[in-house]
Amino acid sequence: MGRLLALTLAYLAYLLAAAIGSERQQHSVQHGPCSYTFILPEVEHCQPLKDFQVTNTLQRDSPPEAEPGTGQSKPVKAQKERPSWQETKLESLESAMENNTQWLQKLENFIQENVRSGMEEMKRAAVHTQTAAMLEMGTNLLSQSAEQTRKLTDVETQVLNQTSRLEIQLLEYSLFTNRLEKHILLQTQEISRLSDKNSFLEQRLLALEARYGKELQGLESEKQQLQELLERQSRLVSQLQGELGSTTLNSTSLQKQQAVLTDTVQQLLAMVNHCNEISNVPKEEPLSFRDCAEIRQSGVTESGIYSIRLPNSTQTVKVFCDMKTRGGGWTVLQHRTNGSVDFHRGWRDYKLGFGELSGEHWLGNDIIHKLTSSQEYSLHVQLKDREGNEAFSQYEHFYIDGEENNYSLHAEHFSGTAGRTSSLTHTGTQFSTKDRDNDRCTCKCSQLASGGWWFEACGPSNLNGIYYPASSSVVRYNGIKWYYWKGPNLMATTTTMMVRPANF
Ligand SMILES: [Ca+2]
Protein backbone atom coordinates (compact mmCIF):
# COMPACT_ATOMS: atom_id res chain seq x y z
CA MET A 1 0.00 0.00 0.00
CA GLY A 2 2.89 2.38 0.87
CA ARG A 3 4.40 1.85 -2.52
CA LEU A 4 1.09 2.44 -4.19
CA LEU A 5 0.74 5.72 -2.36
CA ALA A 6 4.24 6.84 -3.41
CA LEU A 7 3.50 6.10 -7.01
CA THR A 8 0.23 7.93 -6.89
CA LEU A 9 1.92 10.98 -5.35
CA ALA A 10 4.61 10.98 -8.03
CA TYR A 11 1.99 10.85 -10.69
CA LEU A 12 0.06 13.71 -9.15
CA ALA A 13 3.28 15.76 -8.97
CA TYR A 14 3.75 15.19 -12.63
CA LEU A 15 0.21 16.30 -13.40
CA LEU A 16 0.81 19.47 -11.39
CA ALA A 17 3.97 20.24 -13.29
CA ALA A 18 2.06 19.70 -16.51
CA ALA A 19 -0.57 22.18 -15.43
CA ILE A 20 2.11 24.75 -14.60
CA GLY A 21 3.71 24.34 -17.97
CA SER A 22 0.42 24.49 -19.92
CA GLU A 23 1.62 27.37 -21.96
CA ARG A 24 4.29 25.23 -23.38
CA GLN A 25 3.85 22.79 -26.21
CA GLN A 26 1.47 20.01 -25.21
CA HIS A 27 0.66 16.58 -26.64
CA SER A 28 -2.52 14.75 -25.83
CA VAL A 29 -2.93 10.99 -26.13
CA GLN A 30 -6.28 9.18 -25.92
CA HIS A 31 -6.17 5.73 -24.51
CA GLY A 32 -9.53 4.11 -24.17
CA PRO A 33 -11.70 6.24 -21.99
CA CYS A 34 -8.67 7.99 -20.52
CA SER A 35 -6.77 10.91 -22.10
CA TYR A 36 -3.17 11.87 -21.21
CA THR A 37 -1.48 15.23 -21.82
CA PHE A 38 2.31 15.62 -21.92
CA ILE A 39 4.60 18.68 -22.01
CA LEU A 40 7.56 18.21 -24.22
CA PRO A 41 10.91 19.92 -23.68
CA GLU A 42 11.44 22.97 -25.93
CA VAL A 43 14.94 22.38 -27.13
CA GLU A 44 14.77 24.63 -30.16
CA HIS A 45 14.74 27.78 -28.03
CA CYS A 46 17.63 26.92 -25.78
CA GLN A 47 21.24 26.10 -26.20
CA PRO A 48 22.01 22.89 -24.38
CA LEU A 49 25.16 22.63 -22.40
CA LYS A 50 27.80 20.37 -23.53
CA ASP A 51 27.33 17.86 -20.83
CA PHE A 52 23.50 18.20 -20.84
CA GLN A 53 21.47 15.41 -22.29
CA VAL A 54 17.78 15.72 -22.94
CA THR A 55 16.10 12.71 -21.52
CA ASN A 56 12.58 11.66 -21.08
CA THR A 57 11.01 13.53 -18.19
CA LEU A 58 8.95 10.49 -17.39
CA GLN A 59 10.40 7.61 -15.51
CA ARG A 60 9.92 4.14 -16.68
CA ASP A 61 8.97 1.14 -14.59
CA SER A 62 11.93 -0.62 -15.92
CA PRO A 63 15.00 0.70 -17.62
CA PRO A 64 14.76 0.88 -21.43
CA GLU A 65 16.03 -2.10 -23.20
CA ALA A 66 19.65 -1.68 -23.58
CA GLU A 67 20.86 -1.47 -27.14
CA PRO A 68 24.27 -2.79 -27.42
CA GLY A 69 26.71 -0.04 -28.04
CA THR A 70 24.02 2.64 -27.80
CA GLY A 71 26.11 5.08 -25.74
CA GLN A 72 28.82 5.51 -28.26
CA SER A 73 27.11 4.39 -31.43
CA LYS A 74 24.29 7.03 -31.24
CA PRO A 75 26.28 9.99 -32.25
CA VAL A 76 27.86 7.81 -34.81
CA LYS A 77 24.49 6.69 -36.12
CA ALA A 78 23.19 10.28 -36.02
CA GLN A 79 26.04 11.23 -38.03
CA LYS A 80 25.44 8.35 -40.35
CA GLU A 81 21.68 8.51 -40.81
CA ARG A 82 21.03 12.07 -39.53
CA PRO A 83 17.35 11.65 -38.86
CA SER A 84 15.65 14.77 -37.75
CA TRP A 85 15.69 15.20 -33.95
CA GLN A 86 11.92 15.65 -33.89
CA GLU A 87 11.37 12.22 -35.29
CA THR A 88 13.74 10.78 -32.84
CA LYS A 89 12.03 12.63 -30.14
CA LEU A 90 8.65 11.47 -31.33
CA GLU A 91 9.78 7.91 -31.27
CA SER A 92 11.17 8.19 -27.85
CA LEU A 93 7.98 9.89 -26.74
CA GLU A 94 5.87 7.20 -28.25
CA SER A 95 7.86 4.52 -26.54
CA ALA A 96 7.71 6.48 -23.30
CA MET A 97 4.03 6.89 -23.89
CA GLU A 98 3.61 3.22 -24.32
CA ASN A 99 5.57 2.56 -21.21
CA ASN A 100 3.46 5.01 -19.32
CA THR A 101 0.31 3.51 -20.65
CA GLN A 102 1.38 0.10 -19.55
CA TRP A 103 2.46 1.43 -16.20
CA LEU A 104 -0.87 3.23 -15.77
CA GLN A 105 -2.78 0.10 -16.66
CA LYS A 106 -0.81 -1.80 -14.09
CA LEU A 107 -1.44 0.96 -11.61
CA GLU A 108 -5.13 0.94 -12.39
CA ASN A 109 -5.34 -2.79 -12.04
CA PHE A 110 -3.39 -2.66 -8.89
CA ILE A 111 -5.61 0.11 -7.50
CA GLN A 112 -8.76 -1.70 -8.55
CA GLU A 113 -7.59 -4.90 -6.93
CA ASN A 114 -6.59 -3.11 -3.78
CA VAL A 115 -9.80 -1.16 -3.68
CA ARG A 116 -11.79 -4.29 -4.25
CA SER A 117 -9.94 -6.25 -1.61
CA GLY A 118 -10.08 -3.26 0.81
CA MET A 119 -13.78 -2.89 0.23
CA GLU A 120 -14.33 -6.58 0.76
CA GLU A 121 -12.24 -6.47 3.89
CA MET A 122 -14.10 -3.40 5.13
CA LYS A 123 -17.39 -5.05 4.31
CA ARG A 124 -16.34 -8.16 6.13
CA ALA A 125 -15.14 -6.10 9.11
CA ALA A 126 -18.33 -4.07 9.10
CA VAL A 127 -20.41 -7.20 8.82
CA HIS A 128 -18.38 -8.76 11.61
CA THR A 129 -18.68 -5.68 13.81
CA GLN A 130 -22.35 -5.38 13.16
CA THR A 131 -22.86 -9.08 13.79
CA ALA A 132 -20.95 -8.84 17.10
CA ALA A 133 -22.95 -5.76 18.11
CA MET A 134 -26.16 -7.47 17.11
CA LEU A 135 -25.13 -10.56 19.03
CA GLU A 136 -24.33 -8.48 22.09
CA MET A 137 -27.57 -6.62 21.82
CA GLY A 138 -29.35 -9.91 21.35
CA THR A 139 -27.66 -11.34 24.41
CA ASN A 140 -28.55 -8.24 26.44
CA LEU A 141 -32.11 -8.42 25.24
CA LEU A 142 -32.26 -12.10 26.05
CA SER A 143 -30.91 -11.58 29.55
CA GLN A 144 -33.26 -8.63 30.12
CA SER A 145 -36.08 -10.68 28.79
CA ALA A 146 -35.14 -13.54 31.13
CA GLU A 147 -34.98 -11.14 34.07
CA GLN A 148 -38.34 -9.67 33.17
CA THR A 149 -39.76 -13.13 32.74
CA ARG A 150 -38.43 -14.15 36.15
CA LYS A 151 -39.89 -11.04 37.77
CA LEU A 152 -43.15 -11.64 36.05
CA THR A 153 -43.10 -15.23 37.26
CA ASP A 154 -42.46 -14.03 40.82
CA VAL A 155 -45.26 -11.53 40.65
CA GLU A 156 -47.51 -14.14 39.17
CA THR A 157 -46.62 -16.57 41.97
CA GLN A 158 -47.30 -13.92 44.59
CA VAL A 159 -50.59 -13.03 43.02
CA LEU A 160 -51.49 -16.71 42.85
CA ASN A 161 -50.58 -17.21 46.49
CA GLN A 162 -52.54 -14.16 47.56
CA THR A 163 -55.47 -15.27 45.51
CA SER A 164 -55.43 -18.76 46.94
CA ARG A 165 -55.22 -17.35 50.48
CA LEU A 166 -58.10 -15.05 49.84
CA GLU A 167 -60.06 -17.93 48.37
CA ILE A 168 -59.38 -20.05 51.42
CA GLN A 169 -60.40 -17.22 53.74
CA LEU A 170 -63.51 -16.66 51.71
CA LEU A 171 -64.30 -20.34 51.96
CA GLU A 172 -63.77 -20.28 55.71
CA TYR A 173 -65.97 -17.23 56.06
CA SER A 174 -68.69 -18.84 54.07
CA LEU A 175 -68.46 -21.99 56.20
CA PHE A 176 -68.54 -19.88 59.36
CA THR A 177 -71.51 -17.96 58.06
CA ASN A 178 -73.29 -21.22 57.32
CA ARG A 179 -72.66 -22.48 60.81
CA LEU A 180 -73.86 -19.21 62.30
CA GLU A 181 -76.99 -19.34 60.25
CA LYS A 182 -77.69 -22.89 61.40
CA HIS A 183 -77.02 -21.90 64.97
CA ILE A 184 -79.31 -18.88 64.71
CA LEU A 185 -81.99 -21.09 63.25
CA LEU A 186 -81.68 -23.56 66.10
CA GLN A 187 -81.76 -20.75 68.65
CA THR A 188 -84.84 -19.28 67.05
CA GLN A 189 -86.55 -22.66 67.18
CA GLU A 190 -85.53 -23.07 70.81
CA ILE A 191 -86.82 -19.60 71.67
CA SER A 192 -90.15 -20.29 70.07
CA ARG A 193 -90.32 -23.61 71.91
CA LEU A 194 -89.48 -21.93 75.19
CA SER A 195 -92.01 -19.17 74.67
CA ASP A 196 -94.64 -21.82 74.02
CA LYS A 197 -93.65 -23.58 77.19
CA ASN A 198 -93.60 -20.31 79.08
CA SER A 199 -97.10 -19.39 78.04
CA PHE A 200 -98.22 -22.86 79.04
CA LEU A 201 -96.58 -22.51 82.42
CA GLU A 202 -98.06 -19.07 82.95
CA GLN A 203 -101.49 -20.44 82.31
CA ARG A 204 -100.81 -23.25 84.70
CA LEU A 205 -99.46 -20.87 87.30
CA LEU A 206 -102.53 -18.73 87.07
CA ALA A 207 -104.68 -21.81 87.53
CA LEU A 208 -102.61 -22.89 90.52
CA GLU A 209 -102.74 -19.42 92.06
CA ALA A 210 -106.44 -19.43 91.78
CA ARG A 211 -106.55 -22.90 93.26
CA TYR A 212 -104.15 -22.40 96.14
CA GLY A 213 -105.00 -18.76 96.98
CA LYS A 214 -107.24 -19.78 99.84
CA GLU A 215 -104.77 -22.33 101.17
CA LEU A 216 -102.08 -19.64 101.09
CA GLN A 217 -104.10 -17.30 103.19
CA GLY A 218 -104.57 -20.05 105.77
CA LEU A 219 -100.87 -20.76 105.78
CA GLU A 220 -100.01 -17.09 106.26
CA SER A 221 -102.15 -16.82 109.36
CA GLU A 222 -100.46 -20.00 110.65
CA LYS A 223 -97.04 -18.42 109.96
CA GLN A 224 -97.94 -15.35 112.00
CA GLN A 225 -98.91 -17.52 114.92
CA LEU A 226 -95.60 -19.40 114.66
CA GLN A 227 -93.66 -16.10 114.61
CA GLU A 228 -95.36 -14.94 117.79
CA LEU A 229 -94.47 -18.24 119.42
CA LEU A 230 -90.86 -17.86 118.28
CA GLU A 231 -90.64 -14.36 119.80
CA ARG A 232 -91.90 -15.67 123.11
CA GLN A 233 -89.30 -18.45 123.04
CA SER A 234 -86.54 -15.92 122.21
CA ARG A 235 -87.47 -13.77 125.19
CA LEU A 236 -87.32 -16.84 127.38
CA VAL A 237 -83.88 -17.77 126.02
CA SER A 238 -82.61 -14.22 126.70
CA GLN A 239 -83.79 -14.43 130.29
CA LEU A 240 -82.00 -17.76 130.65
CA GLN A 241 -78.79 -16.33 129.13
CA GLY A 242 -78.88 -13.42 131.59
CA GLU A 243 -79.19 -15.84 134.48
CA LEU A 244 -76.26 -17.88 133.07
CA GLY A 245 -74.07 -14.72 132.77
CA SER A 246 -74.65 -13.76 136.37
CA THR A 247 -73.72 -17.29 137.42
CA THR A 248 -70.45 -17.08 135.36
CA LEU A 249 -69.64 -13.72 136.94
CA ASN A 250 -70.00 -15.23 140.34
CA SER A 251 -67.61 -18.00 139.33
CA THR A 252 -65.06 -15.47 137.93
CA SER A 253 -65.15 -13.35 141.07
CA LEU A 254 -64.50 -16.47 143.05
CA GLN A 255 -61.45 -17.26 140.86
CA LYS A 256 -60.16 -13.70 141.28
CA GLN A 257 -60.52 -13.92 145.01
CA GLN A 258 -58.54 -17.16 144.87
CA ALA A 259 -55.76 -15.47 142.84
CA VAL A 260 -55.64 -12.51 145.22
CA LEU A 261 -55.32 -14.90 148.11
CA THR A 262 -52.47 -16.76 146.34
CA ASP A 263 -50.66 -13.47 145.67
CA THR A 264 -51.05 -12.45 149.26
CA VAL A 265 -49.63 -15.75 150.41
CA GLN A 266 -46.67 -15.37 147.99
CA GLN A 267 -46.07 -11.80 149.19
CA LEU A 268 -46.13 -12.97 152.74
CA LEU A 269 -43.67 -15.74 151.89
CA ALA A 270 -41.41 -13.22 150.11
CA MET A 271 -41.59 -10.92 153.12
CA VAL A 272 -40.63 -13.78 155.38
CA ASN A 273 -37.68 -14.61 153.09
CA HIS A 274 -36.65 -10.98 152.96
CA CYS A 275 -36.76 -10.76 156.74
CA ASN A 276 -34.58 -13.86 156.89
CA GLU A 277 -32.15 -12.32 154.41
CA ILE A 278 -32.05 -9.05 156.32
CA SER A 279 -31.30 -10.93 159.48
CA ASN A 280 -28.36 -12.66 157.66
CA VAL A 281 -26.94 -9.48 156.16
CA PRO A 282 -24.63 -7.49 158.39
CA LYS A 283 -25.79 -4.14 159.50
CA GLU A 284 -25.45 -1.67 156.64
CA GLU A 285 -23.38 1.38 157.01
CA PRO A 286 -24.85 4.82 156.33
CA LEU A 287 -25.02 5.59 152.60
CA SER A 288 -22.05 7.88 152.59
CA PHE A 289 -19.26 5.43 151.62
CA ARG A 290 -17.96 5.60 148.07
CA ASP A 291 -16.47 2.06 148.09
CA CYS A 292 -15.67 -0.91 150.30
CA ALA A 293 -12.31 0.61 151.20
CA GLU A 294 -14.03 3.46 153.01
CA ILE A 295 -16.32 0.96 154.74
CA ARG A 296 -13.25 -1.06 155.75
CA GLN A 297 -11.55 2.08 156.96
CA SER A 298 -14.64 2.87 159.04
CA GLY A 299 -13.87 -0.26 161.02
CA VAL A 300 -15.98 -2.91 159.34
CA THR A 301 -14.04 -6.18 159.02
CA GLU A 302 -16.74 -8.60 157.87
CA SER A 303 -17.15 -9.45 154.20
CA GLY A 304 -20.67 -9.10 152.81
CA ILE A 305 -23.09 -6.94 150.86
CA TYR A 306 -22.95 -3.22 151.50
CA SER A 307 -24.44 -0.13 149.88
CA ILE A 308 -22.17 2.51 148.44
CA ARG A 309 -22.86 5.84 146.79
CA LEU A 310 -21.10 6.18 143.49
CA PRO A 311 -18.70 9.10 143.17
CA ASN A 312 -20.12 12.33 141.70
CA SER A 313 -23.56 10.77 141.85
CA THR A 314 -26.56 10.30 144.07
CA GLN A 315 -26.88 6.71 142.82
CA THR A 316 -26.46 4.07 145.53
CA VAL A 317 -25.67 0.52 144.66
CA LYS A 318 -25.19 -2.67 146.56
CA VAL A 319 -21.82 -4.33 146.30
CA PHE A 320 -20.04 -7.30 147.84
CA CYS A 321 -17.08 -6.24 149.99
CA ASP A 322 -14.10 -8.54 150.57
CA MET A 323 -12.73 -7.46 153.93
CA LYS A 324 -10.26 -10.36 154.28
CA THR A 325 -7.95 -10.61 151.27
CA ARG A 326 -4.66 -8.73 151.66
CA GLY A 327 -6.04 -6.29 154.14
CA GLY A 328 -9.62 -6.16 152.84
CA GLY A 329 -11.50 -3.13 151.54
CA TRP A 330 -12.03 -4.70 148.12
CA THR A 331 -15.10 -3.89 146.09
CA VAL A 332 -15.90 -7.06 144.12
CA LEU A 333 -16.54 -6.57 140.37
CA GLN A 334 -16.85 -10.19 139.32
CA HIS A 335 -17.19 -13.55 141.05
CA ARG A 336 -17.43 -17.13 139.75
CA THR A 337 -17.56 -20.14 141.99
CA ASN A 338 -20.05 -22.79 140.90
CA GLY A 339 -21.47 -22.05 137.44
CA SER A 340 -24.92 -21.23 138.81
CA VAL A 341 -25.19 -18.05 136.74
CA ASP A 342 -25.13 -17.86 132.95
CA PHE A 343 -22.41 -15.41 131.86
CA HIS A 344 -23.05 -15.70 128.09
CA ARG A 345 -25.15 -12.54 128.00
CA GLY A 346 -25.64 -9.44 125.89
CA TRP A 347 -24.31 -5.89 126.08
CA ARG A 348 -27.14 -4.53 128.26
CA ASP A 349 -26.71 -7.19 130.93
CA TYR A 350 -22.98 -6.49 131.17
CA LYS A 351 -23.72 -2.74 131.23
CA LEU A 352 -26.14 -2.95 134.17
CA GLY A 353 -24.79 -6.03 135.95
CA PHE A 354 -26.34 -9.41 136.73
CA GLY A 355 -26.26 -12.38 139.08
CA GLU A 356 -26.35 -12.64 142.88
CA LEU A 357 -24.08 -10.33 144.92
CA SER A 358 -23.60 -13.03 147.48
CA GLY A 359 -22.75 -15.56 144.76
CA GLU A 360 -21.78 -15.37 141.09
CA HIS A 361 -22.25 -11.94 139.59
CA TRP A 362 -20.97 -9.13 137.35
CA LEU A 363 -21.23 -5.75 139.04
CA GLY A 364 -21.94 -3.86 135.81
CA ASN A 365 -19.73 -1.89 133.44
CA ASP A 366 -21.39 1.47 134.18
CA ILE A 367 -20.74 1.09 137.94
CA ILE A 368 -17.17 -0.15 137.34
CA HIS A 369 -16.51 2.85 135.08
CA LYS A 370 -17.93 5.41 137.54
CA LEU A 371 -16.04 3.85 140.43
CA THR A 372 -12.63 3.34 138.83
CA SER A 373 -12.55 6.62 136.94
CA SER A 374 -13.16 8.69 140.09
CA GLN A 375 -9.71 8.02 141.52
CA GLU A 376 -6.76 5.67 141.00
CA TYR A 377 -7.67 2.07 141.71
CA SER A 378 -5.80 -1.24 141.84
CA LEU A 379 -7.27 -4.42 140.40
CA HIS A 380 -6.79 -7.72 142.18
CA VAL A 381 -7.63 -10.96 140.34
CA GLN A 382 -7.90 -13.87 142.78
CA LEU A 383 -7.94 -17.37 141.30
CA LYS A 384 -8.33 -20.90 142.70
CA ASP A 385 -8.20 -24.05 140.61
CA ARG A 386 -10.14 -27.26 141.14
CA GLU A 387 -7.34 -28.72 143.25
CA GLY A 388 -7.55 -25.72 145.58
CA ASN A 389 -4.34 -24.03 144.39
CA GLU A 390 -4.59 -20.27 144.64
CA ALA A 391 -2.85 -17.52 142.70
CA PHE A 392 -3.39 -13.86 141.91
CA SER A 393 -2.62 -11.14 139.41
CA GLN A 394 -2.51 -7.53 140.46
CA TYR A 395 -2.56 -4.29 138.46
CA GLU A 396 -1.65 -1.13 140.34
CA HIS A 397 -3.43 1.15 137.92
CA PHE A 398 -6.79 0.07 136.65
CA TYR A 399 -9.87 1.75 135.18
CA ILE A 400 -12.28 1.36 132.31
CA ASP A 401 -13.72 4.00 129.98
CA GLY A 402 -17.38 4.74 129.70
CA GLU A 403 -19.83 3.19 127.26
CA GLU A 404 -18.98 5.79 124.62
CA ASN A 405 -15.56 4.09 124.38
CA ASN A 406 -17.00 0.62 124.74
CA TYR A 407 -15.61 0.32 128.29
CA SER A 408 -11.99 0.17 127.06
CA LEU A 409 -9.58 -1.52 129.47
CA HIS A 410 -6.67 0.24 131.22
CA ALA A 411 -4.59 -2.10 133.41
CA GLU A 412 -0.90 -1.45 134.10
CA HIS A 413 1.91 -2.28 136.58
CA PHE A 414 1.29 -5.96 136.64
CA SER A 415 2.51 -8.29 139.38
CA GLY A 416 1.38 -11.55 140.99
CA THR A 417 1.69 -15.32 140.98
CA ALA A 418 -0.84 -16.29 138.32
CA GLY A 419 1.70 -16.35 135.52
CA ARG A 420 4.80 -14.33 134.87
CA THR A 421 3.07 -12.41 132.13
CA SER A 422 -0.19 -10.56 132.35
CA SER A 423 -3.10 -12.48 130.94
CA LEU A 424 -5.18 -9.33 130.56
CA THR A 425 -4.93 -7.75 127.11
CA HIS A 426 -3.20 -4.44 126.64
CA THR A 427 -4.52 -1.02 127.37
CA GLY A 428 -7.24 0.27 125.08
CA THR A 429 -8.87 -3.07 124.32
CA GLN A 430 -12.62 -2.62 124.07
CA PHE A 431 -15.32 -4.69 125.69
CA SER A 432 -17.31 -7.10 123.50
CA THR A 433 -20.41 -9.17 124.05
CA LYS A 434 -22.17 -11.69 121.86
CA ASP A 435 -24.32 -8.90 120.42
CA ARG A 436 -21.62 -6.19 120.25
CA ASP A 437 -18.42 -7.11 118.40
CA ASN A 438 -15.64 -4.63 119.27
CA ASP A 439 -12.66 -6.98 119.07
CA ARG A 440 -9.82 -6.93 116.57
CA CYS A 441 -10.62 -10.29 115.07
CA THR A 442 -12.46 -10.78 111.78
CA CYS A 443 -14.40 -13.32 113.83
CA LYS A 444 -16.63 -12.54 116.80
CA CYS A 445 -14.61 -13.55 119.87
CA SER A 446 -17.48 -13.18 122.26
CA GLN A 447 -19.47 -15.74 120.32
CA LEU A 448 -16.50 -18.08 119.94
CA ALA A 449 -15.10 -17.78 123.46
CA SER A 450 -18.45 -17.07 125.17
CA GLY A 451 -19.29 -14.28 127.65
CA GLY A 452 -18.46 -10.58 127.66
CA TRP A 453 -14.82 -9.57 127.99
CA TRP A 454 -12.02 -7.37 126.74
CA PHE A 455 -11.26 -9.55 123.73
CA GLU A 456 -8.53 -8.53 121.39
CA ALA A 457 -8.11 -11.34 118.83
CA CYS A 458 -9.18 -13.02 120.97
CA GLY A 459 -6.58 -12.65 123.77
CA PRO A 460 -5.16 -14.81 126.56
CA SER A 461 -7.91 -14.35 129.16
CA ASN A 462 -11.65 -14.63 129.67
CA LEU A 463 -12.88 -14.96 133.23
CA ASN A 464 -16.48 -14.76 131.98
CA GLY A 465 -16.29 -17.91 129.82
CA ILE A 466 -18.36 -21.02 130.36
CA TYR A 467 -17.95 -22.61 133.77
CA TYR A 468 -16.99 -26.25 133.21
CA PRO A 469 -17.22 -28.64 136.18
CA ALA A 470 -14.23 -30.49 137.55
CA SER A 471 -15.40 -33.72 135.91
CA SER A 472 -14.82 -32.24 132.48
CA SER A 473 -11.64 -33.58 130.91
CA VAL A 474 -11.79 -32.22 127.39
CA VAL A 475 -9.98 -28.94 126.76
CA ARG A 476 -12.49 -26.25 125.83
CA TYR A 477 -11.68 -22.97 124.25
CA ASN A 478 -14.84 -21.23 125.42
CA GLY A 479 -14.28 -21.90 129.14
CA ILE A 480 -12.81 -19.71 131.86
CA LYS A 481 -9.27 -18.77 130.83
CA TRP A 482 -6.23 -17.12 132.44
CA TYR A 483 -3.74 -18.41 129.93
CA TYR A 484 -0.39 -17.60 131.56
CA TRP A 485 -1.39 -19.36 134.73
CA LYS A 486 -2.99 -22.65 133.65
CA GLY A 487 -3.31 -22.60 129.90
CA PRO A 488 -6.43 -22.27 127.78
CA ASN A 489 -9.02 -23.87 130.04
CA LEU A 490 -9.69 -23.58 133.77
CA MET A 491 -12.26 -25.98 135.22
CA ALA A 492 -14.23 -25.63 138.41
CA THR A 493 -12.36 -22.41 139.05
CA THR A 494 -13.15 -19.77 141.59
CA THR A 495 -12.44 -16.28 140.28
CA THR A 496 -12.80 -12.89 141.88
CA MET A 497 -12.06 -9.51 140.36
CA MET A 498 -12.02 -6.68 142.87
CA VAL A 499 -10.76 -3.13 143.15
CA ARG A 500 -9.42 -0.96 145.89
CA PRO A 501 -7.94 2.54 145.79
CA ALA A 502 -4.23 2.37 144.84
CA ASN A 503 -3.29 4.33 147.94
CA PHE A 504 -5.19 2.09 150.37
CA1 LIG B 1 -14.64 -9.06 115.42
Side-chain angles (χ1 to χ4, degrees):
M1 284 294 287
R3 192 180 168 194
L4 176 66
L5 191 62
L7 286 170
T8 311
L9 284 172
Y11 182 65
L12 287 172
Y14 167 75
L15 287 176
L16 184 65
I20 291 166
S22 58
E23 291 179 0
R24 299 179 185 179
Q25 192 174 357
Q26 295 179 352
H27 298 272
S28 294
V29 177
Q30 189 73 30
H31 185 267
C34 302
S35 62
Y36 300 95
T37 306
F38 298 97
I39 300 168
L40 299 176
E42 296 173 353
V43 184
E44 62 269 32
H45 301 296
C46 63
Q47 293 297 320
L49 297 172
K50 281 183 178 177
D51 55 349
F52 179 77
Q53 283 187 328
V54 177
T55 56
N56 198 346
T57 53
L58 290 178
Q59 190 178 351
R60 292 171 61 101
D61 277 348
S62 53
E65 288 176 10
E67 292 175 11
T70 306
Q72 291 180 352
S73 64
K74 212 176 213 179
V76 176
K77 196 178 177 181
Q79 285 176 354
K80 282 180 180 174
E81 294 178 5
R82 293 203 180 260
S84 70
W85 63 274
Q86 284 147 333
E87 286 173 355
T88 313
K89 188 74 184 177
L90 197 61
E91 282 174 7
S92 66
L93 274 173
E94 280 175 356
S95 68
M97 194 69 214
E98 200 169 342
N99 282 338
N100 280 329
T101 307
Q102 287 173 1
W103 182 78
L104 280 170
Q105 277 178 345
K106 284 179 184 175
L107 184 65
E108 191 181 348
N109 290 336
F110 184 75
I111 286 168
Q112 279 176 357
E113 278 177 14
N114 272 304
V115 167
R116 204 164 39 242
S117 64
M119 286 295 287
E120 282 173 0
E121 199 172 332
M122 279 173 69
K123 277 181 186 171
R124 274 201 302 276
V127 167
H128 188 260
T129 311
Q130 281 181 1
T131 311
M134 290 299 285
L135 276 171
E136 194 175 348
M137 278 173 65
T139 313
N140 286 337
L141 281 169
L142 275 173
S143 61
Q144 282 179 8
S145 171
E147 181 70 17
Q148 293 294 329
T149 311
R150 195 178 58 74
K151 281 181 182 172
L152 274 170
T153 313
D154 287 352
V155 170
E156 194 179 355
T157 313
Q158 284 177 6
V159 168
L160 277 172
N161 284 337
Q162 193 70 21
T163 312
S164 59
R165 268 205 299 279
L166 285 170
E167 280 175 354
I168 289 166
Q169 279 184 3
L170 200 64
L171 203 63
E172 283 175 352
Y173 283 143
S174 66
L175 283 171
F176 185 66
T177 313
N178 282 337
R179 275 206 299 276
L180 272 176
E181 281 175 355
K182 281 181 186 171
H183 196 66
I184 286 165
L185 200 65
L186 283 172
Q187 291 293 326
T188 315
Q189 287 173 358
E190 183 74 10
I191 285 166
S192 64
R193 197 174 61 79
L194 282 171
S195 68
D196 288 351
K197 200 172 174 181
N198 190 32
S199 60
F200 171 72
L201 283 170
E202 277 179 352
Q203 287 174 2
R204 210 171 157 189
L205 184 69
L206 284 171
L208 280 171
E209 274 179 2
R211 189 171 152 190
Y212 292 111
K214 289 177 183 174
E215 288 183 20
L216 196 66
Q217 284 176 356
L219 283 170
E220 276 180 352
S221 63
E222 203 173 332
K223 184 184 164 191
Q224 279 182 352
Q225 286 172 4
L226 279 171
Q227 277 181 345
E228 285 170 7
L229 190 65
L230 191 66
E231 282 171 8
R232 279 202 300 276
Q233 292 293 331
S234 296
R235 281 197 293 274
L236 197 61
V237 167
S238 301
Q239 284 174 5
L240 284 170
Q241 277 179 344
E243 287 173 14
L244 187 66
S246 60
T247 315
T248 312
L249 276 173
N250 288 338
S251 168
T252 310
S253 62
L254 279 172
Q255 283 176 352
K256 279 182 182 171
Q257 284 176 12
Q258 190 184 1
V260 169
L261 279 172
T262 312
D263 286 349
T264 311
V265 170
Q266 282 177 350
Q267 283 174 5
L268 282 171
L269 281 171
M271 281 170 72
V272 169
N273 286 337
H274 189 58
C275 287
N276 287 337
E277 193 178 326
I278 286 168
S279 67
N280 289 335
V281 171
K283 186 186 171 190
E284 288 185 14
E285 293 300 312
L287 300 175
S288 58
F289 299 116
R290 61 190 297 167
D291 57 16
C292 295
E294 285 190 357
I295 297 172
R296 176 69 187 82
Q297 283 165 342
S298 73
V300 176
T301 57
E302 196 168 345
S303 298
I305 298 168
Y306 297 89
S307 286
I308 59 168
R309 192 177 62 207
L310 291 175
N312 306 320
S313 166
T314 55
Q315 186 187 358
T316 59
V317 293
K318 287 186 174 179
V319 295
F320 190 90
C321 294
D322 181 337
M323 301 301 194
K324 302 289 182 196
T325 305
R326 301 169 75 84
W330 297 102
T331 304
V332 175
L333 309 180
Q334 186 261 20
H335 188 56
R336 310 288 296 275
T337 185
N338 54 18
S340 60
V341 173
D342 177 19
F343 271 66
H344 193 45
R345 292 169 181 251
W347 186 261
R348 185 174 165 76
D349 282 353
Y350 274 95
K351 169 188 167 76
L352 301 175
F354 58 86
E356 297 287 335
L357 287 175
S358 57
E360 297 199 325
H361 69 279
W362 179 259
L363 186 60
N365 286 338
D366 279 347
I367 299 171
I368 297 171
H369 162 64
K370 283 176 184 167
L371 190 66
T372 59
S373 59
S374 65
Q375 61 172 308
E376 199 165 31
Y377 271 86
S378 300
L379 172 69
H380 187 83
V381 180
Q382 187 70 36
L383 303 167
K384 186 165 74 176
D385 67 10
R386 59 180 166 185
E387 285 86 21
N389 303 312
E390 291 195 40
F392 73 96
S393 293
Q394 182 143 338
Y395 301 85
E396 295 306 325
H397 303 298
F398 168 79
Y399 71 96
I400 65 170
D401 289 329
E403 189 175 14
E404 67 277 6
N405 287 328
N406 294 322
Y407 307 116
S408 296
L409 176 74
H410 301 268
E412 289 165 354
H413 293 280
F414 162 78
S415 65
T417 56
R420 276 190 258 173
T421 309
S422 168
S423 292
L424 268 183
T425 50
H426 60 77
T427 288
T429 303
Q430 298 181 348
F431 200 82
S432 293
T433 54
K434 62 183 179 184
D435 55 350
R436 196 74 75 85
D437 178 29
N438 297 318
D439 57 43
R440 294 189 179 178
C441 177
T442 52
C443 64
K444 292 182 176 177
C445 292
S446 176
Q447 291 181 6
L448 288 174
S450 171
W453 194 249
W454 297 277
F455 294 108
E456 194 194 13
C458 293
S461 63
N462 177 17
L463 295 185
N464 292 338
I466 291 173
Y467 188 97
Y468 285 105
S471 57
S472 178
S473 57
V474 181
V475 174
R476 314 273 187 171
Y477 290 94
N478 56 0
I480 296 171
K481 181 165 72 172
W482 198 257
Y483 185 82
Y484 292 111
W485 183 42
K486 295 274 183 179
N489 189 198
L490 291 171
M491 293 161 194
T493 310
T494 299
T495 72
T496 310
M497 295 171 67
M498 45 198 184
V499 293
R500 187 171 70 178
N503 59 2
F504 182 80

